[in-house]
Amino acid sequence: MNLTLKIWRQHSPDEPGQMVKYHVKDVSPDMSFLEMLDVLNEGLILAGDDPVAFDHDCREGICGMCGMVINGVAHGEQKATTTCQLHMRHFKDGDVVTIEPWRAAPFPVIKDLVVDRSAFDRIIQAGGFVSVPAGAAPDAHAVPVPKGDADDAFDAATCIGCGACVAACPNGSASLFTGAKITHLGSLPQGRPERASRAKTMVEQMDLEGFGGCTNTGECTAVCPKGISLDVIARMNADFLKASR
Amino acid sequence: MAVTGAILVLFLVGHMVGNLKTFAGPEAFNGYALWLREVGYPLVPKRGLLTLVEVVLVAAVVLHIWSAVALYRRAAAARPVRYATRRRSQAGGYVVHIMRWGGVTIALFVVYHLLDLTFGVANPAGGAATPYTRMIEGFSRWYVTLFYAVAVIMVGLHLRHGLWSAFQTLGLARGRQGLRVFAALLSAVLVLGFLSVPFAIMIGVVK
């Protein structure tokens, strides 16, 4: 199939960017979205042009590196799917596809579709860890963990930190990401002693980075490739209020 | 947002129940209006409790709007460059469309509502008439009834998200799916309760 792409091109963080139109021919429906961009880039390189820069790493949907807003939807319209796992069979011959980077002040564009997500790292550094040396993996039955808590922690721990929640949020809030990390660590015995203080420092760092406030619109969970639930935000708020008392 | 919203919801419940006094006749309704001004007398001065409620409500409304403006400004600052494609809502778009503009609609309505029925300035019977007469005269104009109905339905839609969202913000909503149903039910009860009075006046059951 043949596609028309409108892609955000921005040479460097300080230069203004713009949408540029490209045509890609002979796209196979079996290609992933990133492979389709690889084909485009091969053509651009052969023609002596600058290839489109985009983030990617594992291409298995588990690393959280890739991510772009496709036709106005973070990671595209396919539910619970990262961009690398989005396949071209979901598009039709002749489609016009717009591709933009995550848009948020704390995620400045580095080049084209690549944004700097260090703000997430700083939120983790503010409290997304367990301070005591927990050693190697303990015996499974050494510290009993109720099944419900283990499930909550595991579901939240599936967050890959891609930033789609921020990209989709009309408020540009990072609450789903921060809530997922707080729920992941705070649900388990090793992370419980720091549960309240962790929520406080991480939320404060999130606000400091310039993310917006959460109004529970649910746009984040709808685009999340891992389907993280809004419950993690309630958990974050509960822990934060506990620390603020 | 959550705390001030909760205060306003409690007021709405009281207001709706008070409105239903209409169906008990003019004496009961006017008597209720008088009771609101005299409750607790002589323990508290006349209008004492009513004034207290009014002050709390005004403070809640002001803080609620202030929170909304603060959230809006943070949101605008967090996304200085907008998407070129019109962002398509993946969660139905209900919240995005209803809450902010619905809130503005409700605020405008409350101003008119107070001018009409509390101060009587915009009421054909004037401020000197009894509360019951003011209500009947106020709703005898079809466009007032229509505006009222639109605003009340907007309140219901606002609360359907707002109630659940308040529990979420206060960290109480985790894993409780029933809260969404509760929010929708309470909103529906409030809307029906508020609409019953002008509807009864319209079809002539209450004169």
Side-chain angles (χ1 to χ4, degrees), chain A residues 17 52 56 60 70 73 87 104 113 115 119 121 123 136 161 166 169 174 197 202 212 215 218 220-221 231 236 239:
Chain A
V52 177
H56 61 106
E60 294 178 0
I70 301 162
V73 183
H87 286 81
L113 303 173
V115 297
D121 297 340
I123 292 175
V166 175
C169 178
S197 62
M202 289 180 78
T215 58
C220 51
T221 183
D231 285 352
M236 174 183 80
D239 286 2

Side-chain angles (χ1 to χ4, degrees), chain A residues 120-219:
Chain A
F120 271 9
D121 297 340
R122 290 188 292 272
I123 292 175
I124 294 291
Q125 284 161 7
F129 48 78
V130 173
S131 294
V132 292
D139 287 340
H141 62 308
V143 184
V145 179
K147 175 83 167 86
D149 290 355
D151 286 350
D152 284 350
F154 194 82
D155 285 349
T158 57
C159 168
I160 51 178
C162 64
C165 44
V166 175
C169 178
N171 299 306
S173 173
S175 291
L176 196 71
F177 167 79
T178 311
K181 301 304 168 193
I182 286 170
T183 304
H184 158 203
L185 294 166
S187 300
L188 296 175
Q190 293 90 335
R192 209 162 282 155
E194 293 166 285
R195 187 173 152 183
S197 62
R198 172 185 304 116
K200 193 166 163 60
T201 51
M202 289 180 78
V203 168
E204 282 169 357
Q205 186 63 36
M206 174 174 76
D207 290 345
L208 211 62
E209 296 290 345
F211 291 105
C214 175
T215 58
N216 303 310
T217 64
E219 298 291 335

Side-chain angles (χ1 to χ4, degrees), chain B residues 148-163:
Chain B
Y148 180 90
V150 169
V152 164
I153 290 169
M154 203 58 98
V155 169
L157 296 177
H158 197 83
L159 290 190
R160 191 182 146 211
H161 173 70
L163 269 168

Side-chain angles (χ1 to χ4, degrees), chain A residues 69 71 73 77 79 98 100 103-105 166-167 169 171 207 210-212 215-216 219 222 230-231 234-235 237 241, chain B residues 71 74-75 77-85 88-91 95-96 100 161 164-165 168-171 174-175 180:
Chain A
V69 175
N71 287 338
V73 183
E77 277 192 85
K79 295 282 175 208
T98 58
E100 298 171 80
R103 293 287 188 207
V166 175
C169 178
N171 299 306
D207 290 345
F211 291 105
T215 58
N216 303 310
E219 298 291 335
L230 283 184
D231 285 352
R235 170 74 173 247
N237 289 331
L241 288 174
Chain B
L71 277 169
R74 276 184 64 184
R79 181 156 298 134
V81 184
R82 289 170 167 269
Y83 288 109
T85 347
R88 267 185 287 168
S89 173
Q90 294 300 295
V95 182
V96 181
R100 278 179 191 144
H161 173 70
W164 172 79
S165 183
Q168 179 83 359
T169 300
L170 296 175
R174 188 158 51 96
R180 282 186 194 261

Side-chain angles (χ1 to χ4, degrees), chain A residues 1 25-32 35-36 39 87-89:
Chain A
M1 66 180 120
K25 292 199 177 80
D26 303 325
V27 175
S28 152
D30 297 328
M31 284 179 180
S32 75
E35 284 166 340
M36 183 274 293
V39 170
H87 286 81
M88 296 315 292
R89 55 177 169 268

